[in-house]
Amino acid sequence: MQPQRLFLAVAAGVAVANVYFAQPLLATLGTDLGISPGTVGVFVTVTQLGYGLGLFFLVPLGDLVDRRKLIRAQFVVLAAALLLVGIARNAAMLLIGLAAVGLLAVVTQSLVAFAASLSAPAERGRAVGTVTSGVVIGILLARTTSGALTDLAGWRSVYLISCGLSLLLALTLFKAAPQPRAALSYPALLRSTITLWLQEPVFRARALMAFFIFAAFNTLWSSIVLPLTEQSLSHTQIGAFGLIAAVGAIAAGPAGRLNDQGRGQLVTTAASVLLAASWLLIVWTPHSLWPLAFGMIALDLAVQAIHVSNQSRIIDLRPEAASRLIAGYMIFYSIGSALGAILSTALYEAAGWTAVCLLGATFSLGALATSVRAGRATSRASLSSGSSR
């Protein structure tokens, strides 16, 4: 099982990296296409919006059709979208390509659901943690990779190389036993995603938490290129901060194990405190890059610990609906990411780095408040259950 998990982690990392390749390149893309610094966040936003559509319309299909076949098909079409970005000659063509990349990069979430479905209940958190580690590394190394490749061969090489990797993964995906499928039509499947959100309070709380943590995450990662560019750092140097922050991937494994032990609420609350505190370091970026490095590590540790705990917890609610639960949860991730991207870049141009950090801290405190409220609700439910016996 471990080699399969490792393959799925690598595949998930490659897939999700496509959503984040553009972030350290925003200034370059803006200059190349004549777009002002205050609106370059649209490149990230359109990708995230495409990702959100894919979450709702594509990821739930994993509960309806064979997940392995779905994953292979998504990688093939993703490769075509990456090729379109790589040969784009104008802003409109690039935006269409990036929207398609976002739409199809949701294969990442299909891989998470696939890993969970292949695992015994007692190991589900570990499986989700392993694949999420790949996702984290993919997200953060995307910036390092795209920055280095852009300096060496131009920004188009980033997307053309990823196109080849996507085709390779489609061809080498391992075989697996068929998984149980929902006896629903496609429209009913989509409606059931909304029904699950309405019926499960834990699902709603974790989804709201996803909105806050990834809004905070993208507030940093979509705008950090702007002050770093002003300090005359190269694409490779800017991307290297992603390599530093990849230390946060180590939180995914322990978070999954703690969730398997019933300590998911403790993980989310403690990590939410760390997330809010990280901005006290990040705010010093214009004066020193050392606080930024440590703040990035703290922020990514916190986000990934919460993310793994959230995913493990919602899959445990109804394992047979894992794809729909992940899809609904990740829609809030996508909305938060898009909002963080567009607000942070616009806010930086209007009011500077301190204002961006206040925005990120506000999102982080929202995550903490949601976690505390969810913990109190769980405690009341446990007390009520105990008193009724």
Side-chain angles (χ1 to χ4, degrees):
M1 182 61 188
Q2 194 58 39
Q4 292 181 345
R5 288 182 188 171
L6 181 59
F7 179 92
L8 294 177
V10 171
V14 171
V16 78
N18 295 297
V19 181
Y20 296 92
F21 279 146
Q23 288 187 350
L25 312 180
L26 290 179
T28 297
L29 291 173
T31 300
D32 194 20
L33 299 171
I35 298 174
S36 69
T39 56
V40 290
V42 70
F43 290 119
V44 176
T45 301
V46 73
T47 309
Q48 292 292 346
L49 290 175
Y51 199 84
L53 291 173
L55 288 170
F56 186 75
F57 289 104
L58 296 181
V59 176
L61 282 171
D63 291 336
L64 190 63
V65 302
D66 184 275
R67 282 197 180 102
R68 180 176 178 271
K69 292 181 179 178
L70 176 65
I71 289 168
R72 290 188 69 180
Q74 284 179 302
F75 267 119
V76 170
V77 186
L78 174 60
L82 289 164
L83 179 61
L84 177 62
V85 173
I87 63 174
R89 296 301 173 187
N90 53 60
M93 191 174 177
L94 180 63
L95 288 172
I96 291 171
L98 288 174
V101 166
L103 180 74
L104 294 156
V106 295
V107 67
T108 303
Q109 304 313 317
S110 297
L111 289 162
V112 173
F114 192 36
S117 70
L118 295 175
S119 304
E123 296 185 352
R124 194 170 290 136
R126 291 178 177 85
V128 172
T130 299
V131 179
T132 301
S133 292
V135 174
V136 178
I137 293 171
I139 290 173
L140 296 173
L141 294 192
R143 301 171 176 87
T144 305
T145 302
S146 64
L149 285 175
T150 297
D151 285 338
L152 288 172
W155 66 266
R156 296 179 189 278
S157 67
V158 177
Y159 294 94
L160 295 176
I161 290 172
S162 187
C163 170
L165 288 175
S166 296
L167 287 175
L168 179 62
L169 288 168
L171 293 172
T172 56
L173 182 63
F174 60 82
K175 294 182 179 180
Q179 304 296 309
R181 304 179 192 179
L184 297 170
S185 66
Y186 180 60
L189 186 79
L190 297 182
R191 288 195 299 270
S192 70
T193 302
I194 299 172
T195 301
L196 286 167
W197 190 85
L198 294 173
Q199 291 177 343
E200 298 286 353
V202 172
F203 184 20
R204 292 196 298 273
R206 298 288 172 161
L208 182 59
M209 212 178 300
F211 167 82
F212 282 123
I213 64 173
F214 284 104
F217 184 86
N218 248 25
T219 292
L220 173 64
W221 285 107
S222 292
S223 61
I224 189 59
V225 64
L226 301 175
L228 293 183
T229 299
E230 289 180 357
Q231 296 186 41
S232 301
L233 271 67
S234 69
H235 292 112
T236 301
Q237 290 171 322
I238 293 172
F241 280 93
L243 184 62
I244 294 170
V247 173
I250 66 175
R257 289 193 291 272
L258 287 169
N259 191 81
D260 287 339
Q261 297 167 11
R263 300 179 183 177
Q265 183 57 45
L266 175 63
V267 170
T268 54
T269 302
S272 296
V273 172
L274 179 62
L275 179 63
S278 68
W279 293 98
L280 297 174
L281 293 170
I282 294 168
V283 73
W284 290 94
T285 296
H287 308 289
S288 173
L289 297 181
W290 284 106
L292 172 63
F294 288 112
M296 281 180 166
I297 292 171
L299 182 142
D300 283 18
L301 278 168
V303 167
Q304 302 316 321
I306 298 169
H307 186 41
V308 170
S309 181
N310 283 351
Q311 288 184 300
S312 300
R313 183 70 182 89
I314 63 173
I315 291 173
D316 285 342
L317 293 173
R318 299 192 189 184
E320 75 283 358
S323 292
R324 282 167 284 169
L325 289 166
I326 289 178
Y329 168 82
M330 291 299 294
I331 286 172
F332 284 80
Y333 151 97
S334 188
I335 294 171
S337 294
L339 186 64
I342 199 164
L343 288 182
S344 61
T345 52
L347 193 58
Y348 181 79
E349 185 178 46
W353 185 246
T354 300
V356 171
C357 291
L358 287 173
L359 175 67
T362 300
F363 285 134
S364 302
L365 291 172
L368 177 59
T370 304
S371 177
V372 171
R373 184 177 179 182
R376 288 175 178 172
T378 301
S379 298
R380 286 195 298 269
S382 298
L383 290 172
S384 176
S385 176
S387 64
S388 65
R389 290 178 183 148

